[in-house]
Amino acid sequence: MANLTYMGTRDQSIRATASQAILRGICPDGGLYIPEVIPTMEKSLEELGKLSYQELAYEVLSLFLDFTEEELKACINGAYDDKFDTSEIAPVVQKGDALFLELFHGRTLAFKDMALSILPYFMKTAAKREGIDKEIVILTATSGDTGKAALEGFAGVDGTKIIVFFPEDGVSPVQKLQMTTQEGDNTCVVGILGNFDDAQSAVKSIFTDKALGEDLEKKGYVFSSANSINIGRLVPQIVYYFHAYLNAVKQGTLKMGEEINFTVPTGNFGDILAGWYAMKLGLPVGHFVCASNDNKVLYDFFRTGTYDRNRKFHVTVSPSMDILISSNLERLLCHMAGQDVTKADMAKLNQEGKYSVEITEKKISGAFATEEETYGAIKNFFEKTGYVMDTHTAVAYAAYQKYKEESKDQSKDQRPMVIVSTASPYKFTKDVMMAMDQKYAKEDAFELMHVLEKISGVSIPEPIRGIEDRPVLHKNVCERDKIKEFVKGYLL
């Protein structure tokens, strides 16, 4: 059990235990919880290398959570079981010039399963520890993958309701059906006529609406979040960076103690931030490449120090990265500059849409891939290796190629690279197949799954086989400025 205290990114006097932070999801002032002191991994890499994924998860998570050993192991064993379709849970495979950390072997075929399989167990444990007997309402905004993974995790969980908001016209056909066909009396799915940023901003404003919170409390409800703004969603992701490193050593790609690099496709900055925390715990990481698509707000930030969301929003073939307000960057800002600077910058972002800082973290740089480059990466890599990447992994791979080209002339960075592969190509079949050949442009996305199965040699994953024939159970659609009203109407 860790004695770690969490504090707010905008006010260090806001304090919470891990259980309290998980239940609240967000600070009362709209800030995010971060560890007051980032812990250090006491066990050696050699010791960690002998552990299973579940045992490794215990060693990492016990540094961040205030659960007993018995409580934490129950959470881990409940989450990381046979719901993953590979025995290793997160395989690391060598293809071409990189290692791919495959995080899409869970029930929803995306990396969000790695954390959202365990978050419901965290919530129930934290609620018990805090003596909370109210019904927990999980409010979640999704750009495509978080929604289904959260629904899968919380469906049927006693004492919870979950409401998911997604951009009605901004997700893939498979992503949409994964959410709208979700069973469970405690689930609610809503398409919004807007983008992910609209949904995320509305959800954040609901968390800080004191009057609404009081009304809901009278009805026996308390809000929490399954987005990576919740520290309980973020810390489980630290585990798979250690797992990837230790597997690279086992495979002979590097020697124990040598540094490795990661390229991470990211929109909300949570996945790459988990890697940064792993490095701070003691994992030997040389560099992180923050990979963006045409919504390259993070790329521009790491190049210039200015974060500017005042730009055109692009709907791309990598929709889970179609984000202009990267919430988790706030956590990195606070670690770099402290609460006063972060509070001022977040006020500027809210009022003017931009802010500028000095970037003192030199181990992260940005790279981006256009839609054309994303398609090219899928096609060329398949022709060379026979390995099919989804559109988000392809953004990361194309960005890695640019980083490799740049570092050849500058730092001559020859460290091994892990591409964090965040989704199955089957979630984005139409675009993957169009990358292979434009002749597929007019064909049905679900029919193309069988073509992809044939050319890739990888079976259509069971959770989405025949998904197009399942009944649509959620037909709610909401204007982007009516999200709060929807929540009130649904709950009150």
Side-chain angles (χ1 to χ4, degrees):
M1 179 190 289
N3 293 315
L4 194 62
T5 300
Y6 288 85
M7 60 182 178
T9 50
R10 304 177 193 181
D11 181 350
Q12 63 177 329
S13 71
I14 293 176
R15 299 297 175 102
T17 64
S19 291
Q20 291 165 346
I22 288 168
L23 290 169
R24 292 172 192 168
I26 193 170
C27 298
D29 64 351
L32 306 182
Y33 287 105
I34 58 171
E36 184 178 21
V37 177
I38 299 174
T40 301
M41 175 59 72
E42 299 294 341
K43 284 217 159 96
S44 68
L45 291 170
E46 285 79 7
E47 289 175 289
L48 297 176
K50 297 171 185 174
L51 305 180
S52 67
Y53 192 92
Q54 292 85 344
E55 291 166 335
L56 182 62
Y58 177 79
E59 295 302 330
V60 172
L61 295 174
S62 62
L63 300 174
F64 289 92
L65 302 176
D66 55 349
F67 299 172
T68 65
E69 180 178 349
E70 184 182 8
E71 287 170 337
L72 182 51
K73 286 185 175 177
C75 292
I76 291 167
N77 293 333
Y80 301 125
D81 57 9
D82 59 7
K83 67 173 67 73
F84 292 83
D85 66 14
T86 53
S87 58
E88 205 173 338
I89 295 180
V92 178
V93 297
Q94 173 83 51
K95 297 290 178 182
D97 58 349
L99 292 163
F100 289 80
L101 171 60
E102 294 185 344
L103 299 176
F104 50 77
H105 291 282
R107 294 296 304 278
T108 77
L109 318 181
F111 80 100
K112 307 292 174 75
D113 288 323
M114 303 301 295
L116 283 164
S117 292
I118 200 167
L119 184 61
Y121 293 95
F122 285 174
M123 288 270 187
K124 290 191 78 169
T125 304
K128 188 177 178 182
R129 292 183 67 83
E130 293 297 308
I132 290 177
D133 56 1
K134 292 181 171 62
E135 191 160 23
I136 300 170
V137 179
I138 309 297
L139 279 188
T140 296
T142 183
S143 54
D145 288 333
T146 291
K148 174 57 181 176
L151 289 162
E152 187 72 30
F154 283 95
V157 174
D158 291 340
T160 68
K161 287 185 187 297
I162 177 164
I163 310 173
V164 169
F165 295 97
F166 73 95
E168 175 72 11
D169 299 315
V171 298
S172 78
V174 171
Q175 286 178 310
K176 190 170 185 176
L177 279 177
Q178 281 185 302
M179 289 184 279
T180 57
T181 61
Q182 176 68 51
E183 297 178 341
D185 292 340
N186 66 332
T187 65
C188 177
V189 179
V190 188
I192 68 155
L193 301 176
N195 59 43
F196 170 76
D197 291 330
D198 297 323
Q200 181 171 248
S201 297
V203 166
K204 280 184 171 181
S205 73
I206 290 170
F207 277 110
T208 55
D209 187 327
K210 289 183 181 177
L212 177 58
E214 287 169 4
D215 288 343
L216 288 166
E217 198 166 337
K218 290 172 189 171
K219 290 282 187 179
Y221 294 124
V222 60
F223 280 135
S224 193
S225 175
N227 284 88
S228 55
I229 57 175
N230 190 322
I231 197 71
R233 236 294 302 278
L234 189 62
V235 292
Q237 297 176 248
I238 298 169
V239 179
Y240 53 68
Y241 284 91
F242 276 91
H243 171 76
Y245 180 92
L246 296 167
N247 270 265
V249 172
K250 287 173 188 172
Q251 294 174 22
T253 303
L254 75 165
K255 293 176 183 173
M256 197 72 85
E258 290 180 343
E259 290 185 337
I260 201 166
N261 294 342
F262 289 92
T263 297
V264 190
T266 191
N268 219 12
F269 204 71
D271 200 3
I272 193 167
L273 182 67
W276 184 83
Y277 277 129
M279 179 181 73
K280 291 296 180 181
L281 257 64
L283 190 68
V285 180
H287 197 77
F288 292 100
V289 180
C290 178
S292 300
N293 61 17
D294 283 312
N295 294 295
K296 55 188 182 68
V297 64
L298 286 168
Y299 166 81
D300 291 337
F301 172 74
F302 283 107
R303 291 290 166 126
T304 67
T306 295
Y307 191 98
D308 187 353
R309 64 174 171 85
N310 300 314
R311 61 182 69 203
K312 181 182 177 184
F313 181 90
H314 297 278
V315 176
T316 76
V317 297
S318 45
S320 298
M321 299 162 67
D322 291 348
I323 295 171
L324 293 180
I325 304 174
S326 303
S327 287
N328 277 289
L329 188 60
E330 180 173 342
R331 286 185 163 113
L332 181 67
L333 288 178
C334 190
H335 285 299
M336 288 195 301
Q339 278 83 359
D340 291 344
V341 171
T342 304
K343 183 177 181 178
D345 286 340
M346 291 303 102
K348 285 180 192 171
L349 183 65
N350 187 43
Q351 293 155 14
E352 304 164 25
K354 63 180 180 179
Y355 61 85
S356 296
V357 297
E358 179 189 355
I359 300 175
T360 56
E361 178 51 74
K362 303 301 183 186
K363 286 206 169 191
I364 305 176
S365 65
F368 79 99
T370 64
E371 199 149 295
E372 185 180 356
E373 289 167 337
T374 303
Y375 273 170
I378 293 170
K379 180 180 174 66
N380 296 335
F381 200 73
F382 174 71
E383 289 175 350
K384 286 179 186 174
T385 67
Y387 186 75
V388 181
M389 298 183 286
D390 90 289
T391 46
H392 303 76
T393 306
V395 167
Y397 185 76
Y400 163 51
Q401 295 307 310
K402 290 184 177 181
Y403 171 75
K404 196 161 67 165
E405 191 60 34
E406 285 180 8
S407 64
K408 190 165 64 177
D409 300 327
Q410 297 170 12
S411 61
K412 295 183 171 53
D413 187 350
Q414 300 300 314
R415 287 173 287 226
M417 178 64 77
V418 173
I419 306 290
V420 178
S421 185
T422 53
S424 164
Y426 280 103
K427 293 197 82 161
F428 308 95
T429 308
K430 183 72 175 275
D431 286 305
V432 167
M433 294 310 299
M434 282 172 60
M436 303 287 193
D437 195 322
Q438 281 296 313
K439 73 181 183 183
Y440 296 115
K442 293 182 180 178
E443 296 198 27
D444 177 74
F446 299 101
E447 290 297 323
L448 286 173
M449 283 188 186
H450 300 284
V451 182
L452 179 56
E453 184 175 48
K454 190 174 180 181
I455 70 162
S456 68
V458 176
S459 298
I460 298 171
E462 206 53 47
I464 59 167
R465 186 181 289 277
I467 193 172
E468 67 273 24
D469 299 322
R470 295 175 200 167
V472 172
L473 303 175
H474 302 272
K475 300 177 182 178
N476 301 303
V477 179
C478 173
E479 295 285 347
R480 62 184 173 186
D481 58 350
K482 302 291 185 186
I483 292 174
K484 190 178 289 188
E485 284 72 15
F486 181 92
V487 172
K488 285 181 184 177
Y490 179 71
L491 293 174
L492 298 178

